[in-house]
């Protein structure tokens, strides 16, 4: 928003509703990160809308003192699309979860990404169905034992970033609920991007899937297990930056010790590469949140925004034909006169 | 206008040079023997790739411009190109043209134009002895006859003795024309429908120029094809003029119509225009979220063309996204609309329920087709009424409005929008395949006289909290309409959250309180019921005044024309019959109870198993009887007439029970069975199965094949 807003504080962005997530839920820290970020973005509450589907994450809009719609399971991207294309002056955020976005709402997610509607989609990935009390989700690891899969789940999970990139996402990023600064930086970037911004947030469900990301996001593991992506920088990680990523001649990525290959041979991250292959390869680097996992912005490219293009067609039609005249329209099929 | 002046007809050697006789400037040729007719029903039939719909539409258009009243019935298979020459691939277009006000496309064609044996076979049963049949003689070769299932050639075996048959070599004459223009024989052959159009135009004394101008316009980008079409059309016309086959031709004089400017319009076009008009009247931007589906897609097409009206259209990824996007647009302050047909309405049900809870304005257009499931995609039916009223979980009432005729789709769309924005509710607007594709002359409304639809967005807080602060309560209702305020994003101070979870009355906070839930259920129901206060009373066409007739025929939707015509016929027999037609199916007009009780007997014809009849019996405890037809086709006037006759013959006896009779094209409604208790919940036990008198394939050739439409 270019509109200069009156300075606000977190309190201004906090609704009067009691927050009802389970104590200790990762959603609290995401909510705090967003509420604290909003004053920094210089946007107006009345021009901000949060849209959600169904699931624990979907309660999010009730807690934001903005406009909000808590709609039905999986449909938030579709509803937000109608709002965003007819009201390009608004900041529209979609809050969703792994079941909501990738299972029942998979179709709407991929088509929103393909169209590149001006939306910021925050996907809270906790690899479980929390609201329905603990069934496996489309991001749960294979073999997951839950109430609905007592002998282990059979399905291969989705990687949300891979799905988004496959659906032509112009912006795809990952962050996690244990690092407010990182979340805010990613959210800021996502908000600034014109088009559909997709952010996967590793979010801990301490009741039904506690510690799902602990091996990579835990304070003691982060340095060795999270691979920060920074545009234009060699991709390296570890407490001393001693590990790195190289691309082999066949295009596949491999973890290396920097000392073994030399810094100059590390893969340099490029968010803006038109071809999504690099971002996709990075999204496949870890087979799950138990191996070194890239976080940050995978991809950020410019692509025409859908709502703007739709508005332009109207402007062009009016330039060609003038603003519509109803009497002319009704007579456009040919007329005859009686009397 | 380009008129080829040097055209030479090539309809066999002896017809060469006929065009000169006609001359480019002559508009209507009244030849030697011209008989005056008051109305004529023409049915064009051919392969689904033969351009039959185009031919029929143009014949209608010319007739309308000439001043006839017209009513049409396109009747085509679901397959875009079914195997050529088969019964399944037959496409037909029926039109009635008249010198007086008519209401239906006619029961029995006076003339059938059959482009091949399959077209003849599929449509012959509709014809009465003495009717005229014009066939493309070239198409009756052995292979085509075999494909159509003929053991012998009907043109030669005497089986058509009861009809006046004209055998015209349309293909070869058209190919001669093509040779002159220099197009490939295969391309030329495709113009044979224009030859047929020319011939029939001559037969019924239609003016020539409008069709030639139309060909010029339509084929402007492909002048060579345009030229073949024009020449084929002229050759057909001249063939009729000159060939000695035809003893005379016919003239249907213009109908006496109310003064005004007229156009021909299909229901889908009128509906799209009605939405545009309503958006202007409400001063709201129009947003359409839609997914292609037969027979509703043309509304999406038409609105997509009209971007200069500020219309935003989005072809969504599925039916659910279509309505979802419309809900999102409505939250943002647009007029949100979604269009679909039965299967799509199924998919939208959950989202309609959301809109009921959100209490946002939304219009859902359901262009009904034969169901269940994929059913009969290209055939008409009225079987979604109960679905529209009740097809959602929970108590989720929505207003339902139905269009009666193609042009009435315009008014019905405006009415649906008026209710939606005034009461902040989703409204289901019912059309059907017959209205969608059928046309009728429409006297254009005076734009200035269309009533405004006032919309007031909330701009200020509407409540004071215990601390004395002014706050906005999204569910604080308007005392008169029961509508909640429409506060759109961008309005400072009115930030609020709505959603599918039950809301506390007034404040709109999430509430699981039982007493609050009951209150909200009742408030939503009362709001919808309250719409009745704003709608016109149902009109009763009863020459003897309300209650004067012995029988009331109550209809809704596209049965209007057939019922009105059937009632006229019954009156011509001296029967005292009234007709009332509902536009509002939920809530009903306030006077409906009084209207129903004013009559001793009520007959409710519907192209379903008896949905409205069930509603009025339940709502008003009247002994209404149903008349059902489920053949993918509208009622014929004669079917209504015979049902009226049967009903009046029976009700004069002792009180009869409920009856849900099926109709067939030839059989009158079955008399009521007094042994059957008047229990509306067991209609199946009293339903009469379609009699064997139904032609096995009469104009529904696609019904036996899997449909390709989704």
């Amino acid at each position: 928003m270019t509109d200069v807003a009156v300075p606000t504080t977190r309190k201004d962005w906090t609704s009067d509703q009691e927050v009802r997530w389970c104590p200790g839920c990762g959603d609290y820290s995401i909510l705090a990160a967003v509420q604290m970020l909003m004053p920094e973005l210089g946007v107006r509450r009345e021009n901000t809308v949060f849209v959600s589907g169904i699931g624990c994450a979907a309660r999010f809009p009730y807690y934001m003192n903005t406009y909000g719609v808590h709609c039905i399971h999986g449909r938030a991207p579709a509803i937000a699309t109608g709002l965003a294309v007819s009201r390009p002056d608004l900041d529209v955020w979609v809050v969703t979860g792994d079941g909501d976005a990738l299972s029942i709402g998979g179709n709407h997610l991929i088509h929103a990404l393909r169209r590149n509607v001006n939306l910021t989609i925050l996907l809270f990935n906790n690899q479980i169905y929390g609201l329905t009390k603990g069934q496996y989700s489309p991001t749960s690891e294979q073999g997951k034992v839950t109430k609905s899969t007592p002998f282990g789940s059979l399905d291969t999970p989705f990687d949300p970033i891979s799905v988004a990139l496959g659906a032509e996402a112009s912006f795809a990023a990952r962050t996690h609920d244990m690092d407010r600064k990182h979340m805010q930086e990613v959210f800021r970037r996502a908000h600034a991007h014109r088009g559909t911004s997709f952010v996967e947030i590793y979010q801990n469900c301490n009741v039904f899937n506690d510690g799902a990301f602990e091996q990579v996001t835990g304070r003691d593991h982060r340095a060795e297990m999270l691979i920060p992506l920074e545009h234009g920088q060699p991709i390296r990680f570890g407490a001393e930056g001693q590990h790195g990523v190289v691309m082999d001649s066949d295009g596949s990525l491999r973890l290396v010790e920097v000392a073994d290959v030399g810094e100059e041979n590390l893969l340099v991250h490029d968010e803006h590469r038109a071809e999504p292959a690099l971002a996709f390869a990075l999204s496949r680097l870890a087979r799950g949140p138990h191996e070194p996992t890239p976080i940050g912005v995978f991809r950020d490219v410019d692509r025409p925004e859908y709502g703007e293009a739709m508005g332009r067609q109207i402007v062009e039609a009016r330039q060609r034909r003038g603003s519509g005249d109803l009497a002319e329209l009704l007579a456009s099929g040919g007329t005859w006169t009686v009397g | 206008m380009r008129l080829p002046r040097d055209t030479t007809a090539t309809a066999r050697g002896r017809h060469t040079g006929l065009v000169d006789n006609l001359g480019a400037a002559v508009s209507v040729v009244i030849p030697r023997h011209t008989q005056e007719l008051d109305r004529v029903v023409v049915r064009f039939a051919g392969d689904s790739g033969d351009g039959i719909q185009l031919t029929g539409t143009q014949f209608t258009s010319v007739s309308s411009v000439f001043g006839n009243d017209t009513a049409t019935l396109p009747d085509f298979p679901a397959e875009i190109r079914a195997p050529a020459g088969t019964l399944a691939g037959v496409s037909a277009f029926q039109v009635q043209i008249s010198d007086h006000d008519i209401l239906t496309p006619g029961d029995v064609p006076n003339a059938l134009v059959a482009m091949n044996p399959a077209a003849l076979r599929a449509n012959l049963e509709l014809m009465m002895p003495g009717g005229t049949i014009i066939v493309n003689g070239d198409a009756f070769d052995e292979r085509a006859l075999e494909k159509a299932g003929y053991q012998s050639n009907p043109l030669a075996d005497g089986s058509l003795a009861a009809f006046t048959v004209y055998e015209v070599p349309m293909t070869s004459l058209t190919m001669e024309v093509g040779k002159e223009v220099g197009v490939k024989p295969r391309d030329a052959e495709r113009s044979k429908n224009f030859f047929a159009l020319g011939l029939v135009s001559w037969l019924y004394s239609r003016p020539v120029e409008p069709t030639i101008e139309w060909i010029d316009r339509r084929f402007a980008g492909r002048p060579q094809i345009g030229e073949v079409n024009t020449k084929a059309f002229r050759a057909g016309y001249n063939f009729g003029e000159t060939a000695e086959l035809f003893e005379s031709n016919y003239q249907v004089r213009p109908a006496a119509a109310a003064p005004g400017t007229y156009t021909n319009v299909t229901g889908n076009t009128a509906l799209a225009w009605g939405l545009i008009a309503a958006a202007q009247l409400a001063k709201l931007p129009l947003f359409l979220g839609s997914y292609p589906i037969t027979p509703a897609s043309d509304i999406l097409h038409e609105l997509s063309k009209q971007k200069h009206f500020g219309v935003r259209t989005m072809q969504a990824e599925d039916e659910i996204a279509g309505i979802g996007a419309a809900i999102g647009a409505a939250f943002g302050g647009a007029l949100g609309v979604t269009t679909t047909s039965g299967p799509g309405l199924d998919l939208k049900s959950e989202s309609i329920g959301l809109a009921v809870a959100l209490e946002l304005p939304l219009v859902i257009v359901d262009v009904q087709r034969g169901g269940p499931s994929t059913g009969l995609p290209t055939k008409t039916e009225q079987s979604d009424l109960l679905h529209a009223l009740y097809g959602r979980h929970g108590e989720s009432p929505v207003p339902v409005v139905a269009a009666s005729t193609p042009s009435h789709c315009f008014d019905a769309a405006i009415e649906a929008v008026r209710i939606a924005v005034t009461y902040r509710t989703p409204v289901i607007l019912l059309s059907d395949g017959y209205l969608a594709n059928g046309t009728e002359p429409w006297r254009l409304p005076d734009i200035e006289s269309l009533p405004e639809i006032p919309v007031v967005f909330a701009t200020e807080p509407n409540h004071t909290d215990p601390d004395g602060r002014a706050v906005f309560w999204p569910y604080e209702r308007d005392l008169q309409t029961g509508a909640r305020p429409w506060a759109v994003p961008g309005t400072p101070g009115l930030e609020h959250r709505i959603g599918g979870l039950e809301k506390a009355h007034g404040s709109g906070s999430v509430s699981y309180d039982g007493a609050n839930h009951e209150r909200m259920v009742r408030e939503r129901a009362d709001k919808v019921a309250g719409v009745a206060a704003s709608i016109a009373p149902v009109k009763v066409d009863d020459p003897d005044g309300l209650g004067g007739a012995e029988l009331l025929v109550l209809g809704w939707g596209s049965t209007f024309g057939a019922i009105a015509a059937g009632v006229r016929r019954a009156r011509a027999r001296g029967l005292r019959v009234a007709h009332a037609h509902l536009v509002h199916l939920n809530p009903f007009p306030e006077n409906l109870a009084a209207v129903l009780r004013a009559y001793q007997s009520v007959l409710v014809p519907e192209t379903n198993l008896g949905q409205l009849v069930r509603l009025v019996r339940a709502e008003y405890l009247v002994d209404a009887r149903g008349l059902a037809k489920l053949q993918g086709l509208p009622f014929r006037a004669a079917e209504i007439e015979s049902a009226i006759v049967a009903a009046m013959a029976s009700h004069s006896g002792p009180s009869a029970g409920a009856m849900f009779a099926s109709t067939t094209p030839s059989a009158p409604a079955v008399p009521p069975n007094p042994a059957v208790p008047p229990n509306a919940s067991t209609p199946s036990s009293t339903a009469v199965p379609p009699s064997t008198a139904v032609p096995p394939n009469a104009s529904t050739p696609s019904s036996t094949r899997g449909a390709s439409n989704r």
Side-chain angles (χ1 to χ4, degrees), chain A residues 15 17 20 45-47 49 59 61-62 64-73 75 78-79 81-83 85-87 90 107-108 111 115 306 310-311 313-314 317-318 321-327 329-339, chain B residues 64 257-264 273 276-277 280 287 305-318 320-321 324-325 328-329 331-332 350-351 354 441 444 447 488-492 494-501 503 509-510 512:
Chain A
S15 79
Q17 301 292 302
R20 294 188 186 173
R45 283 180 307 188
E46 67 267 25
N47 291 337
V49 185
R59 302 298 173 95
Y62 290 123
M64 295 296 297
N65 190 16
T66 64
Y67 283 90
V69 188
H70 173 217
C71 52
I72 46 179
H73 208 6
R75 318 303 169 201
I79 290 170
T81 292
L83 176 62
V85 302
S86 55
R87 290 291 305 277
L90 301 177
N107 201 31
H108 308 308
H111 287 276
R115 292 192 183 100
Y306 183 75
M310 192 185 270
Q313 283 195 337
I314 290 176
R318 284 182 162 152
R321 305 172 66 180
S323 286
D325 178 286
L326 193 55
L329 176 69
L330 301 194
S332 62
T335 62
W336 67 94
T337 305
V338 173
Chain B
S64 297
T261 303
Y262 285 76
T263 192
N264 246 332
W273 291 353
I276 291 174
Q280 289 202 347
F287 179 91
K305 283 196 292 191
Q306 310 300 347
K307 293 204 186 296
H308 60 308
F309 282 89
V311 179
R312 281 181 163 80
T313 58
M314 176 178 148
Q315 182 176 317
E317 57 270 25
D318 58 29
I320 298 168
F331 182 68
E350 187 193 16
S351 304
L354 175 67
L444 295 181
I447 305 291
V488 300
T491 315
L494 305 193
E495 294 83 5
H496 64 281
R497 277 67 55 192
I498 56 176
L501 286 171
K503 297 291 179 279
S509 296
V510 173
Y512 302 124

Side-chain angles (χ1 to χ4, degrees), chain B residues 379-449:
Chain B
K379 307 289 179 187
T380 196
E381 207 162 274
Q382 294 181 297
S383 45
D384 296 352
L385 176 60
L386 293 180
H387 183 193
L389 261 81
Y390 302 120
R392 289 163 298 283
H393 72 277
E395 295 288 352
S396 60
V398 300
V400 178
V401 172
S404 307
T405 73
S407 71
H408 183 248
C409 288
F410 181 84
D411 302 317
I414 294 175
E415 175 64 355
V417 171
R418 180 192 71 80
I419 295 171
V421 301
T422 307
Y423 293 88
R424 321 267 200 260
T425 175
V427 174
I428 296 180
L429 169 56
L430 295 173
S431 174
D432 63 32
Y434 174 46
L435 299 179
N437 293 315
T439 61
E440 67 176 347
W442 176 34
R443 188 158 69 104
L444 295 181
D446 173 17
I447 305 291
E448 304 302 319
S449 70

Side-chain angles (χ1 to χ4, degrees), chain B residues 139-209:
Chain B
F140 281 67
D141 59 22
E142 214 166 292
R143 192 151 170 272
L145 288 165
E146 196 182 309
K147 266 196 206 170
Y150 276 118
Q151 308 296 322
S152 62
N153 188 343
L155 303 180
D157 66 8
S159 60
L160 302 177
F163 306 98
T164 307
V165 181
Y166 297 112
E167 189 182 338
V168 183
M170 298 185 197
T171 308
S172 49
L173 294 179
T174 305
M175 283 170 70
E176 282 296 321
V177 171
K179 210 184 281 176
E180 254 178 59
V181 179
V183 300
K184 287 185 213 130
R186 202 170 155 270
D187 291 338
E189 189 266 337
R190 295 178 59 185
S191 295
K192 64 180 182 294
N193 58 323
F194 284 89
F195 186 96
L197 179 61
L199 185 56
V200 178
S201 294
W202 172 81
L203 189 61
Y204 294 107
S205 306
R206 305 290 92 187
V208 171
E209 284 94 351

